[in-house]
């Protein structure tokens, strides 16, 4: 009897003994997510990425992602700027520090990127801001709740989402949709064969 198992996970299809599954399991055991998820905010024009509204959106994204059990780490310009301000101010509690405005954010980022190419969290024109999260599971079932929560945040409907996690979600969604159609087609064909051969569609199916 043919058994069809439909899964939205990009991890489950690999047997536990395969190198891919072993590597993924080892990374997860070390607390490292293997599936990057990128959220890109378009500030609308050059030199606008450190506007207070954009930074507030980025902070909201970061806070939401950190609450997800499927996220191992998050990095964004906001966390980088907070770290820089804390370092230069010599604060004992970095978490209590906030960026006071656009001018301070721009100054800190200039210091950060002045030594060379910075991590691609902000483009050269300072129009696009990227928040990156590392997910443990990049399948549809794991990514869908995160995407829905992101879209519900203020400004979320305008953000661009990408990275391997979104690719895994798209592949999983496609496999599920295609498999459901194939299963339905097989059942319909079997039922028709049963009607003509056995005079009963139940006989063909069972």
């Amino acid at each position: 009897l043919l058994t069809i198992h439909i899964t939205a996970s990009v991890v489950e299809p690999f047997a536990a003994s395969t190198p891919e599954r072993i590597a993924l399991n080892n990374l997860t055991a070390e607390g490292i997510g293997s599936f990057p998820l990128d959220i890109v905010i378009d500030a609308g024009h050059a030199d606008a990425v450190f506007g207070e509204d954009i930074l507030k959106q980025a902070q909201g994204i970061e806070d939401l992602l950190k609450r997800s059990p499927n996220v191992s780490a998050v990095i964004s310009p906001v966390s980088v700027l907070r770290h820089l301000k804390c370092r230069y101010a010599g604060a004992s509690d970095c978490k209590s520090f906030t960026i006071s405005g656009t001018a301070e954010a721009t100054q800190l980022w200039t210091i950060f990127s002045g030594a060379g190419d910075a991590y691609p969290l902000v483009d050269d024109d300072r129009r696009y801001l990227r928040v990156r999260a590392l997910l443990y599971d990049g399948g549809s079932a794991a990514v869908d709740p995160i995407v829905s929560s992101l879209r519900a945040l203020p400004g979320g409907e305008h953000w661009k989402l990408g990275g391997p996690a979104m690719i895994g979600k798209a592949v999983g969604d496609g496999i599920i949709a295609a498999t459901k159609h194939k299963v339905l087609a097989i059942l319909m064909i079997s039922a028709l064969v049963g009607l003509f051969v056995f005079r009963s569609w139940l006989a063909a199916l069972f």
Side-chain angles (χ1 to χ4, degrees):
L1 179 65
L2 176 65
T3 301
I4 299 176
H5 175 63
I6 303 174
T7 178
S9 173
V10 295
V11 177
E12 286 185 11
F14 295 102
S17 59
T18 60
E20 295 83 0
R21 188 68 176 271
I22 292 173
L24 289 171
N25 289 343
N26 288 340
L27 287 171
T28 300
E30 293 295 329
I32 302 172
S34 307
F35 302 94
L37 170 65
D38 291 328
I39 303 94
V40 176
I41 303 174
D42 182 355
H45 56 84
D47 296 320
V49 80
F50 293 127
E52 292 186 20
D53 179 60
I54 301 300
L55 292 177
K56 184 177 180 180
Q57 290 183 44
Q59 183 65 66
I61 294 171
E62 186 175 331
D63 291 343
L64 184 147
L65 291 171
K66 286 180 177 179
R67 292 195 296 268
S68 172
N70 190 34
V71 175
S72 66
V74 183
I75 184 170
S76 78
V78 175
S79 55
V80 172
L81 291 170
R82 189 187 305 116
H83 171 76
L84 290 172
K85 181 172 181 178
C86 176
R87 177 179 178 182
Y88 288 113
S92 59
D93 183 9
C94 294
K95 292 183 180 180
S96 65
F97 264 68
T98 58
I99 305 303
S100 60
T102 302
E104 182 179 46
T106 302
Q107 182 182 22
L108 286 169
W109 195 263
T110 300
I111 295 172
F112 173 63
S113 59
D117 292 334
Y119 187 83
L121 295 173
V122 174
D123 70 312
D124 292 337
D125 294 329
R126 296 186 178 179
R127 172 176 174 172
Y128 299 98
L129 180 150
R130 180 203 307 262
V131 179
R132 168 163 288 190
L134 296 178
L135 276 58
Y136 293 114
D137 189 346
S140 297
V143 178
D144 276 341
I146 296 177
V147 172
S148 297
S149 297
L150 287 169
R151 292 301 187 198
L153 290 176
E157 67 275 11
H158 302 299
W159 302 333
K160 303 296 184 183
L161 276 59
M166 292 302 294
I167 295 174
K169 167 179 159 47
V171 171
D173 289 344
I175 291 174
I176 290 176
T179 303
K180 286 181 177 179
H181 289 131
K182 289 179 180 179
V183 170
L184 181 60
I186 291 172
L187 291 175
M188 292 179 65
I189 293 172
S190 299
L192 289 173
V193 170
L195 286 174
F196 284 104
V197 177
F198 304 104
R199 304 300 182 187
S200 170
W201 62 271
L202 287 175
L205 294 177
F206 301 100

